[in-house]
């Protein structure tokens, strides 16, 4: 259903709806109305194409921390992804010409609904608009050039985000959600959101201490064990491969790898 301009003349995007607390209005407007389009009629965008911030959390499942042989940490491992690296559900992942080590990282994304600074842990979940699937695709050799992750996390088309946002009210307790990643139908990652070392409320509180959060900002909560780089032998994605991230009722994010042009 196309809601552009229907709730207010300025209403042009999901990010705008979140910033103006209109998600419940969207639900009310759509209630008892028939769909206007099928998925085949539209080209999806990333859930939030233009977040002011994408804050990524690394090593946030014990299984992944163990397979990387990293020490336990007192604080979350934080890095950033640029908004222009994002693609939508169904879009192709371009395999970089510079690397043969294109790896998957199935994750749950948190979309901030109400911004703030120095948010308390006890109230942090009230700042969540909703959740979505994310594939924080990584070019492993570039990630390992230095101790800084950013180069390997910001190749074009490596931030798959979708297919859609499920709001906080419908999700309820996110910790009950399973998370799985499949490569060409084979299960490679399998965990539960309750396995997070630093849960969502602590991540929001921590991140809001060093930067103010705004509506539409995205926090990626980390990937479980089972990344290709740590398999024996290591396994990476190649043109033609289909990678899918499924997070319970958040749906399934599917993307196929193609040769970079």
């Amino acid at each position: 259903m196309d809601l552009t301009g229907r709730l207010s003349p300025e209403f042009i995007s999901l990010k705008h709806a979140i910033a103006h607390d209109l998600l419940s209005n969207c639900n009310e407007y759509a209630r008892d109305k028939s769909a206007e389009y099928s998925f085949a009629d539209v080209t999806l965008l990333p859930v939030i194409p233009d977040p002011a911030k994408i804050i990524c959390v690394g090593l946030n499942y014990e299984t992944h921390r163990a397979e990387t042989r990293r020490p336990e940490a007192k604080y979350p491992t934080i890095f950033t992804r640029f908004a222009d690296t994002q693609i939508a559900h169904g879009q192709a992942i371009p395999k970089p010409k510079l690397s043969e080590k294109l790896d998957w990282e199935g994750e749950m994304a948190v979309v901030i609904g109400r911004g703030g600074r120095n948010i308390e842990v006890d109230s942090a979940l009230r700042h969540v608009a909703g959740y979505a699937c994310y594939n924080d695709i990584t070019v492993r050799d570039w990630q390992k050039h230095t101790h800084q992750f950013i180069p390997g996390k910001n190749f074009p088309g490596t931030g798959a985000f979708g297919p859609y946002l499920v709001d906080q009210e419908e999700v309820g307790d996110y910790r009950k959600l399973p998370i799985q990643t499949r490569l060409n139908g084979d299960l490679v990652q399998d965990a539960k959101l309750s396995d997070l070392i630093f849960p969502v409320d602590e991540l929001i509180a921590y991140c809001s201490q060093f930067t103010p959060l705004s509506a539409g900002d995205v926090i990626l909560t980390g990937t479980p064990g089972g990344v290709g780089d740590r398999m024996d032998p290591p396994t990476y994605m190649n043109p033609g491969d289909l990678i899918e991230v499924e997070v319970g009722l958040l749906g399934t994010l599917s993307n196929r790898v193609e040769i970079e042009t």
Side-chain angles (χ1 to χ4, degrees):
M1 187 173 293
D2 182 7
L3 299 184
T4 306
R6 296 190 182 178
L7 300 183
S8 73
E10 299 82 19
F11 182 23
I12 58 172
S13 71
L14 179 58
K15 182 178 174 181
H16 179 276
I18 292 169
H20 291 81
D21 196 24
L22 292 174
L23 287 185
S24 60
N25 300 65
C26 294
N27 291 335
E28 196 62 38
Y29 177 88
R31 196 183 312 278
D32 301 324
K33 290 185 174 65
S34 299
E36 299 172 351
Y37 304 94
S38 71
F39 273 105
D41 296 327
V42 300
T43 299
L44 296 180
L45 295 176
V47 172
I48 306 292
D50 56 345
K53 299 183 180 78
I54 304 174
I55 300 173
C56 308
V57 182
L59 307 169
N60 202 24
Y61 289 80
E62 178 58 27
T63 51
H64 186 49
R65 187 202 66 79
E67 71 181 356
T68 60
R69 300 182 179 88
R70 297 294 185 94
E72 294 183 9
K74 183 178 179 181
Y75 303 106
T77 299
I78 302 292
F79 56 97
T80 56
R81 174 177 282 281
F82 306 141
D84 64 1
T85 67
Q86 296 193 125
I87 56 174
H89 168 77
Q91 284 189 281
I93 302 165
K95 182 180 180 297
K97 297 176 181 178
L98 295 174
S99 176
E100 297 298 320
K101 296 184 176 182
L102 186 68
D103 202 353
W104 58 83
E105 289 196 16
E107 308 198 11
M108 184 184 76
V110 178
V111 177
I112 297 299
R114 180 162 57 90
R117 181 83 193 279
N118 296 317
I119 296 168
E120 297 290 338
V121 172
D122 291 347
S123 61
L125 292 183
R126 299 176 198 158
H127 292 257
V128 174
Y131 306 93
C133 303
Y134 210 102
N135 195 345
D136 187 31
I137 300 156
T138 306
V139 181
R140 291 295 181 194
D141 45 353
W142 279 73
Q143 180 192 19
K144 297 175 183 177
H145 281 179
T146 72
H147 293 295
Q148 302 297 325
F149 292 173
I150 292 176
K153 294 288 188 175
N154 282 284
F155 275 69
T158 58
F161 191 9
Y164 38 68
L165 179 80
V166 182
D167 67 36
Q168 167 91 301
E169 182 177 353
E170 185 170 350
V171 171
D173 186 354
Y174 74 89
R175 295 171 297 181
K176 296 180 179 179
L177 299 177
I179 179 169
Q180 295 182 329
T181 304
R182 294 182 294 273
L183 177 66
N184 298 322
D186 294 331
L187 186 66
V188 289
Q189 293 183 295
D190 188 13
K192 303 181 296 296
L193 267 297
S194 58
D195 295 336
L196 289 174
I197 296 172
F198 297 99
V200 170
D201 51 359
E202 292 183 21
L203 293 176
I204 291 172
Y206 179 78
C207 293
S208 73
Q209 291 181 71
F210 68 82
T211 185
L213 297 177
S214 301
D217 285 352
V218 179
I219 297 177
L220 306 185
T221 54
T223 198
V227 298
D229 190 62
R230 297 295 167 166
M231 291 182 172
D232 185 16
T235 301
Y236 302 106
M237 295 188 293
N238 292 294
D241 285 345
L242 178 67
I243 191 74
E244 299 171 290
V245 177
E246 183 175 359
V247 187
L249 55 75
L250 305 185
T252 301
L253 168 67
S254 301
N255 300 89
R256 197 170 291 277
V257 181
E258 294 185 359
I259 298 172
E260 183 181 44
T261 57

